[in-house]
Every structure is written in C-alpha cells, then in structure tokens.
Amino acid sequence: MPATDRPLRRDAERNRRRLVECAADLMSRRGLDVSYDEIAREAEMGVGTVYRRFPDRQDLLDAVFGDHVDAVCALADEAAREEDPWRGIVGFFERQLELEAANPALGRAVRGEDGSPAVVRRAHERMTPVVRYLLARAVAAGQVPPAVTPVDLVAVHRMVGSVLDASRASAPELWRRALAVALAGLRHADLPGPTPTDDVVETLFGRAPTTPGGTP
C-alpha cells in the first residue's frame, strides 16, 4: 500500500502546482475573478479537481500570491536596514515595481486595483510599520519634508503603477522615469492641502476604512 500512496501524492502535488501556475497566468491576463471553470480548462483538468485542491478560493489566492507577497515584505525589511534612509525608500520602490513589472497580477493586487486578497491585506499590515519607519528616518535626516506621510508614499506607488500598466507593452521601462519624477516631487514639493489621515490608505486600496482615522 505505501508504494502506491507515494505516486498518488506526487500526482496530487503536480496537479496542484499546475493549477496554481495556470491560475496565476490567467489572473495576470484577466484579473483575479477568473472562474474555476476557466482554470480547469487552462490546466486541462476537471473542474472538480480544482475544487478538491482549493475548496476555498482564498486558499488559491494565497497559493498564487503568497511567495511574491513574502518577497515584497522582505524588500521592505531590507530597505529598513539601508544606512541611507532616502536610498532605502528609493530602492524599495524600484525593487517592488520590478516585481510588479514581471507579474502584472501581483501589481494590480498589491495596489488594490482588482480588490486585495487576504494575503495582500496581511502584507500591508506587515509592511505598514516598516514604511512608517523608513519615512520617519528620512524626515529625521532632513531628506523628506516633515509634511510627507505614508499616504503620500502609497499615492506614489499607485501613480507609478498606473504608468507601468499603461506602458507595459509599448514602453516597459517608462515606469522608472515616472518613479524618478514622482520621488523628486515628493522630496522637494511644497505639499498643498490638509495632511491626509491614515484611513485614506484604505480608500486608495478600494476598501472602506475600518475605523475613522485608523491605521492602514
């Protein structure tokens, strides 16, 4: 009996990997709401196999994005260890957007454009204190105006991400110029209007704020 169990387990894992790869490819091209029927056809399996492997859609999204989201969080941690605060912020943006350039579905999910799956929301929760620390260091070093807030960093990410998506086919490196322009403006601009409250982050990600003025 054990001799027959092992091949079955290998087949099951192979099927699971195939489903995750196909789901990731479809989501990259069509968004997060692709159906299990579409995934099954792409993987050349029965739709019942998809439901057996991923009875909860959230499990599928976690499998598709989990490793990538962990990589983004690791970039934030690495940026926090950078000796020069501003270089840490710039490097974090550049490397995160490089990941998003290579994986369109990840970019849209991280920016909340297709709705954020739970794995992405957890990543935001993990990165929020790190981003605050990065910004506080840059302000303390006189590299960023005191009026700049984490909301402004999120806005930069959303704006440059939009350029990345719009120019992906025609000018795939244009986002780098857009990022340079946006960060130069952030570093030197006389920011107008009232200081945005933290709950604006939730709005930027297309979610209702959990509590007025609460932490993103």
Side-chain angles (χ1 to χ4, degrees):
M1 181 67 70
T4 60
D5 282 349
R6 280 193 292 273
L8 287 175
R9 286 198 294 270
R10 285 198 295 270
D11 287 345
E13 180 55 29
R14 198 159 43 239
N15 287 345
R16 184 182 185 280
R17 286 199 304 269
R18 173 68 176 159
L19 289 171
V20 171
E21 290 168 0
C22 290
D25 180 61
L26 286 169
M27 289 177 187
S28 176
R29 291 184 279 119
R30 304 182 194 176
L32 301 187
D33 59 349
V34 293
S35 70
Y36 274 21
D37 285 325
E38 292 175 283
I39 295 169
R41 283 196 298 272
E42 185 80 5
E44 299 181 337
M45 298 180 193
V47 69
T49 302
V50 186
Y51 279 102
R52 282 196 300 275
R53 296 289 171 261
F54 300 102
D56 185 337
R57 188 176 181 85
Q58 188 58 58
D59 293 337
L60 175 62
L61 293 173
D62 284 355
V64 169
F65 293 110
D67 289 345
H68 296 291
V69 166
D70 286 343
V72 172
C73 291
L75 292 179
D77 292 337
E78 184 177 333
R81 294 191 294 271
E82 169 63 52
E83 183 176 350
D84 182 273
W86 179 249
R87 192 179 301 133
I89 289 175
V90 173
F92 175 54
F93 270 116
E94 288 177 342
R95 296 181 66 188
Q96 179 177 356
L97 286 160
E98 285 169 356
L99 288 178
E100 295 177 20
N103 188 326
L106 172 68
R108 290 194 294 270
V110 169
R111 297 193 301 271
E113 295 171 12
D114 284 342
S116 297
V119 65
V120 173
R121 292 196 296 273
R122 291 195 296 271
H124 290 159
E125 292 169 0
R126 287 169 57 187
M127 286 191 294
T128 291
V130 181
V131 170
R132 290 185 186 282
Y133 172 71
L134 288 171
L135 182 56
R137 287 177 68 216
V139 169
Q143 297 173 318
V144 175
V148 175
T149 74
V151 175
D152 298 308
L153 297 185
V154 173
V156 167
H157 182 213
R158 290 295 304 268
M159 289 187 291
V160 179
S162 295
V163 172
L164 188 160
D165 288 339
S167 62
R168 187 181 299 277
S170 58
E173 294 295 306
L174 182 61
W175 67 265
R176 296 184 185 276
R177 295 175 67 92
L179 178 62
V181 170
L183 290 178
L186 188 70
R187 193 170 186 180
H188 301 292
D190 181 11
L191 296 172
T195 301
T197 56
D198 289 345
D199 61 300
V200 174
V201 171
E202 297 293 318
T203 304
L204 289 174
F205 285 118
R207 303 191 297 266
T210 53
T211 57
T215 301

